[in-house]
């Protein structure tokens, strides 16, 4: 079905170079289809109705959150024309893609920076979710209050609230994605089991039998997800555990070697030195905070 689509432009909303606009509006049954040259986040504050987006129609209700990208045609409409009986009230937070440049300077997490970059470039898709813990409602209320009643520092405060809103959206999108594939989940469990039973006689053949994969495939998984072979991974786990025991106990080195899976003390000493650059005895001495002889 074809609709007449109006284009809303940010220049009609953004005042004093704010690049941000927040309002609370009651939707009308005759509101036109529109797209826009800015990004929009919407929160259903009251009532129920419909969201017409493209050629689809979805029922909406209080507590739903929406992210609408640039150029996406849509409109929110109430169930009926009688606003007293069937109101549909929404918070709108619209902002220019130019503002994302400024906000990204305050983000240190790569996932958030990439998310903002995707929003700006149009690669972040339309998204909706329920506000299960009222975090979005609190953010929209704070945004609206600060926008309507500006104070000293309001511009910066609004930007910080918008950044929080973007982070909340990114987290929600991330959590809604499918869980890891079963094979990956099994491999993660296998790694956890290996780190719990590193002191036992572990071989690639035994792990292959336990996991149901071939030794060749299992070795490939280690190189793919751990960037090392099975033997090197197990070796590093054991040496790490031995370092913890050397630092935190007075057990004999031969006892520690056996506890982490090495029955031959000479092999353990050789391997430990190759991995750490020093023998176990020197490592223990260097790690002892009470030994001031070399300080």
């Amino acid at each position: 079905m074809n609709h007449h689509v109006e284009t809303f432009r940010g220049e009609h909303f953004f005042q004093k170079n704010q690049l941000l606009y927040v309002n609370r509006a009651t939707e009308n049954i005759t509101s036109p289809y529109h797209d826009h040259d800015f990004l929009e986040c919407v929160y259903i504050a009251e009532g129920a109705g419909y969201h017409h987006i493209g050629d689809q129609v979805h029922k909406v209700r209080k507590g739903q959150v929406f992210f609408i990208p640039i150029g996406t045609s849509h409109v929110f409409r109430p169930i009926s024309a009688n606003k007293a009986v069937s109101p549909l009230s929404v918070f709108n937070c619209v902002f220019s893609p130019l503002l994302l440049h400024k906000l990204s300077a305050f983000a240190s997490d790569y996932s958030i920076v990439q998310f903002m970059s995707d929003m700006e470039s149009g690669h972040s898709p339309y998204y909706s979710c329920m506000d299960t813990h009222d975090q979005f409602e609190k953010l929209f209320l704070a945004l609206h209050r600060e926008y309507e009643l500006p104070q000293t520092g309001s511009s910066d405060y609004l930007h910080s609230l918008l950044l929080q809103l973007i982070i909340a959206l990114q987290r929600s999108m991330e959590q809604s994605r499918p869980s890891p594939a079963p094979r990956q989940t099994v491999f993660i469990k296998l790694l956890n089991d290996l780190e719990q039973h590193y002191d036992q006689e572990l071989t690639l053949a035994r792990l292959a039998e336990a996991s149901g994969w071939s030794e060749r495939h299992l070795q490939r998984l280690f190189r793919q997800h751990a960037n090392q072979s099975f033997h090197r991974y197990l070796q590093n786990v054991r040496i790490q555990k031995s370092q913890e025991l050397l630092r935190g106990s007075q057990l004999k080195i031969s006892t520690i070697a056996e506890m982490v899976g090495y029955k031959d003390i000479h092999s353990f000493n050789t391997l430990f030195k190759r991995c750490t650059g020093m023998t176990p005895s020197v490592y223990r001495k260097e790690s002892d905070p009470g030994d001031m002889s070399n300080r």
Side-chain angles (χ1 to χ4, degrees):
M1 183 183 297
N2 293 324
H3 305 276
H4 171 69
V5 179
E6 297 184 15
T7 296
F8 293 173
R9 303 201 177 276
E11 62 195 50
H12 297 297
F13 296 92
F14 305 140
Q15 304 295 323
K16 299 179 182 179
N17 298 317
Q18 181 66 268
L19 301 180
L20 173 71
Y21 172 78
V22 184
N23 78 337
R24 175 166 176 158
T26 300
E27 299 294 351
N28 195 302
I29 197 75
T30 60
S31 297
Y33 264 84
H34 61 275
D35 58 21
H36 34 72
D37 63 356
F38 47 78
L39 300 131
E40 181 177 18
C41 292
V42 178
Y43 179 81
I44 308 297
E46 181 186 2
Y50 299 97
H51 189 204
H52 302 253
I53 180 164
D55 292 327
Q56 299 181 0
V57 181
H58 304 284
K59 288 197 70 172
V60 299
R61 60 186 175 89
K62 175 177 167 54
Q64 280 185 278
V65 184
F66 301 85
F67 167 69
I68 298 113
I70 293 172
T72 300
S73 60
H74 75 111
V75 65
F76 288 95
R77 288 174 177 161
I79 294 174
S80 76
N82 190 336
K83 295 181 181 180
V85 176
S86 304
L88 178 61
S89 180
V90 304
F91 283 111
N92 296 294
C93 175
V94 304
F95 52 97
S96 167
L98 296 175
L99 183 55
L100 294 173
H101 283 296
K102 185 172 183 178
L103 293 182
S104 63
F106 296 95
S108 57
D109 190 298
Y110 173 78
S111 297
I112 302 303
V113 174
Q114 185 61 51
F115 181 59
M116 286 193 284
S117 176
D118 290 342
M119 292 175 82
E120 180 184 359
S121 63
H123 292 145
S124 190
Y126 164 77
Y127 175 73
S128 68
C129 66
M130 284 300 300
D131 184 18
T132 54
H133 297 97
D134 299 329
Q135 61 171 333
F136 286 103
E137 182 178 28
K138 292 174 182 176
L139 284 169
F140 276 93
L141 284 168
L143 279 161
H144 185 248
R145 181 174 60 248
E146 194 68 28
Y147 190 87
E148 291 295 327
L149 300 170
Q151 305 175 59
T152 303
S154 278
S155 180
D156 291 334
Y157 191 59
L158 283 166
H159 292 170
S160 70
L161 289 170
L162 178 59
L163 181 57
Q164 291 180 62
L165 177 58
I166 289 171
I167 292 172
L169 277 171
Q170 192 275 342
R171 289 178 176 177
S172 178
M173 289 185 185
E174 191 172 62
Q175 292 167 6
S176 68
R177 290 173 188 149
S179 58
R183 283 178 175 268
Q184 184 176 341
T185 303
V186 172
F187 184 70
I188 292 172
K189 182 179 183 303
L190 184 147
L191 292 183
N192 291 336
D193 289 344
L194 185 151
E195 294 189 15
Q196 291 293 321
H197 305 290
Y198 59 87
D199 57 326
Q200 299 178 13
E201 187 176 345
L202 297 174
T203 65
L204 193 62
R206 287 190 177 185
L207 288 183
E209 182 179 356
S211 65
W213 292 320
S214 68
E215 292 182 42
R216 183 176 179 180
H217 180 66
L218 194 54
Q219 191 70 277
R220 186 161 54 244
L221 288 174
F222 270 96
R223 294 193 181 280
Q224 178 182 346
H225 296 292
N227 294 318
Q228 54 192 313
S229 68
F230 157 72
H231 294 289
R232 179 60 60 85
Y233 186 91
L234 177 60
Q235 168 188 295
N236 287 337
V237 169
R238 286 173 166 173
I239 294 301
Q240 180 184 354
K241 297 298 182 181
S242 69
Q243 288 176 297
E244 294 175 6
L245 289 168
L246 286 166
R247 292 194 305 267
S249 76
Q250 294 301 316
L251 294 169
K252 291 182 179 180
I253 292 175
S254 58
T255 301
I256 291 175
E258 191 167 350
M259 288 175 66
V260 298
Y262 294 103
K263 296 180 179 179
D264 182 7
I265 183 63
H266 299 293
S267 297
F268 171 71
N269 285 338
T270 301
L271 181 61
F272 190 96
K273 185 174 183 180
R274 187 165 72 236
C275 293
T276 66
M278 61 184 76
T279 63
S281 57
V282 171
Y283 178 85
R284 168 174 271 172
K285 186 177 181 181
E286 292 288 328
S287 303
D288 185 0
D291 184 355
M292 303 297 291
S293 59
N294 292 325
R295 292 169 172 78

